[in-house]
Amino acid sequence: MANTYDCDVAIIGGGPAGSTAGSLLKKYDPSLRVVILEREAFPREHVGESQLPAISPILNEIGVWDKVEAANFPIKVGATYRWGNTKGYWKFDFLLRPFIDEPRPAKFSNQREATAFQVDRSVYDKILLDQARELGCDVYEQVRVDGIDTVGDRVEGFTISPQKQDGLSGTPLDGVSQVRARHYVDASGVSALLRKKMEIDVSSPTNLRNIAIWDYWQNAEWAETVGTGGTRIQVLSLSWGWIWFIPISPTRTSIGLVLPVSHFKDVGKKPEEIYLEAVTSDIRVSKLVAKATREGILQSTNDWSYLSDRIVGDNWFLAGDSCGFADPILSAGMTLAHTSGRRVAYSILELDRGELDAKWIREEYDQIHRDQILHHIRFADFWYSSNGCFTDLKENCAEIAKHAGLQLSAQEAFAWLSTGGFAGEDQSFAMKGTYRFSSIKTFTETLTDGKIDWVITKKNEFRLNLSGAQAKDISFMRDGRIEPTKCYRRNHNVLPLSGMYRIVYGAVSRESDAFKVYGLIRQALVASRYPGIEEGMFAAYEVLESMILEGWITAKYNKKRPVLSFGNEPEPDNSIGESVQALER
């Protein structure tokens, strides 16, 4: 009879998705027995090194941010692009004001809450997996999941085989061939073991078919240095592809090439040939590697966006790349891995408590995370379709534009990218996927060479419009709990009644005059001790603008009243006579 390992949660894969899920499960319920089964031995190389700011608060929640900061990874303050028809190089930064130089290692506070890291995955992933182990997860490396036993939509267990290699002959899994749990998580990446076992289809909602080729370099110069340890990734288009240039340690740089598979086949060159051709011919990259040494571990992979038809079942969840994958142009991979791992952990914790509707918990995860992936796929399509330099992609991009109704004017492109609304994971900001409202607006204007006016700089009377909306609950995650939060739903759009949305909703429900609305919002931010009032006001402007765009607010112009001018806002009217507490009801 086979020896069986019994636990509460069994996770396949120890990458960012699996380690995030495991760490949060143990943090919020130490009584759980959580096992992470990792096929490889860490540290191991892995591509996907550039992060987005949405990861930083998750690292802090896990309790690992200080360890990641102490590893001295470059601070990602933004990106520099040379893309398509845009002239020269243009920069995009996460911070609303210039980066302030400070000694490292620094704390997770102030500007560092809005920056990200560029990481050497061999070091970073081991830090995360070790943290899961320290928090109490049973972590076993070099253990292969050979089979998955299922009955209908339910997982009954895993069949495993530990790889008896150096240092592992004494593992507690010796002789164990079955793992059984109450919950199962597939964080096995593109292997997607559980998803494939369940025969869940994946769709590829894009016509783009790219491949990626990459290698690592020692002692390449940084294209840009910002303060102590800060930099921007470089995204540089060629006439037949694009190059990423990502410093991932003080001395190590990831340099990759993404190109259409059709071009790769047409030129008939080996991956190394076409890779070196791109690196040595690019005017910026060739100078940066002039005195550098290539490590010579060239790798390549298909780089095709896809989305799983569903990502949750009776007693199982998908997380990370097993759910879907979006083209790396937006650096979304690790962010989607961490955010999915976090939501899986919260979902399992609530399912165990039994206080919320189980079907609703699963539906929330499936809808929210699949929408995130789909947005990044659509956004990547927009980047490629707006790039006239990709001659080999013209037909594909034209088909994308036709299918999406995308005419590449700034207004139309922005409207298309906005489909589904801006209410995201963090309801203190107007976001789509993992990008803030203003970021998507900036990218759209740059790539289309157009302008998108802010309605709030043209209109000055605001009134709520809830016609046709239904009151529902959406999920809000905080401190290990999923809180059902009241919202209004209308078609695909959601209006949450929490965070910044709640403040803006409360202000507009009480006043129609724009500057009285702004005054109420400012008072609420001051009363709540919001960190950075001006940053908070800008976040409120984003929420207000998104609510107008989605039809939650009707905006009009009254010639007797002033309108907003960014950088020159009139002083708020502090004699409104409304209680700030009213905005919190």
Side-chain angles (χ1 to χ4, degrees), residues 333-554:
M334 265 199 295
T335 303
L336 293 172
H338 279 289
T339 55
S340 65
R342 179 174 186 254
R343 186 166 281 277
V344 164
Y346 273 70
S347 299
I348 290 173
L349 291 165
E350 288 298 347
L351 288 171
D352 276 359
R353 292 187 185 104
E355 299 171 9
L356 302 176
D357 181 69
K359 181 182 178 185
W360 175 79
I361 293 171
R362 294 185 178 98
E363 287 176 347
E364 281 287 285
Y365 175 60
D366 189 82
Q367 178 177 334
I368 291 172
H369 192 61
R370 290 179 75 254
D371 282 350
Q372 277 198 333
I373 300 169
L374 182 59
H375 171 72
H376 282 285
I377 293 173
R378 288 164 66 93
F379 205 176
D381 280 355
F382 170 63
W383 276 77
Y384 284 108
S385 65
S386 64
N387 191 339
C389 288
F390 278 77
T391 54
D392 281 18
L393 292 179
K394 280 183 178 178
E395 289 185 9
N396 278 337
C397 291
E399 184 62 27
I400 291 168
K402 178 181 177 182
H403 178 72
L406 182 61
Q407 303 301 315
L408 297 185
S409 74
Q411 293 289 350
E412 289 171 329
F414 188 64
W416 178 62
L417 290 170
S418 304
T419 302
F422 284 95
E425 288 276 343
D426 188 339
Q427 290 157 16
S428 291
F429 300 97
M431 304 183 71
K432 186 67 175 176
T434 50
Y435 284 88
R436 284 179 62 163
F437 179 96
S438 54
S439 301
I440 296 174
K441 178 178 175 295
T442 298
F443 287 140
T444 307
E445 288 181 327
T446 303
L447 294 172
T448 59
D449 196 24
K451 182 161 175 54
I452 306 168
D453 290 329
W454 288 76
V455 176
I456 58 175
T457 65
K458 306 291 183 182
K459 311 291 185 182
N460 53 18
E461 281 193 0
F462 307 135
R463 297 187 186 277
L464 285 174
N465 175 22
L466 302 179
S467 176
Q470 292 183 317
K472 300 281 186 180
D473 281 340
I474 57 172
S475 56
F476 179 65
M477 301 186 300
R478 179 171 56 194
D479 299 329
R481 297 302 305 260
I482 294 179
E483 300 174 6
T485 303
K486 297 298 180 185
C487 76
Y488 287 104
R489 287 186 184 270
R490 184 167 54 205
N491 299 323
H492 296 292
N493 291 336
V494 174
L495 173 60
L497 299 182
S498 62
M500 191 66 73
Y501 281 88
R502 186 177 188 175
I503 292 174
V504 173
Y505 172 89
V508 178
S509 68
R510 286 161 178 79
E511 292 290 343
S512 60
D513 179 282
F515 284 97
K516 289 186 177 182
V517 168
Y518 303 146
L520 278 173
I521 293 170
R522 185 179 290 270
Q523 288 180 50
L525 294 176
V526 171
S528 65
R529 294 179 180 161
Y530 192 92
I533 298 302
E534 297 312 314
E535 286 82 356
M537 287 302 297
F538 186 75
Y541 295 150
E542 291 179 299
V543 168
L544 180 61
E545 186 79 8
S546 72
M547 288 173 65
I548 295 171
L549 179 67
E550 295 167 32
W552 298 113
I553 293 175
T554 301

Side-chain angles (χ1 to χ4, degrees), residues 50 52 55 320-321 325-328 330-338:
S50 184
L52 295 174
I55 292 177
D321 284 353
F325 177 80
D327 190 281
L330 300 171
S331 301
M334 265 199 295
T335 303
L336 293 172
H338 279 289

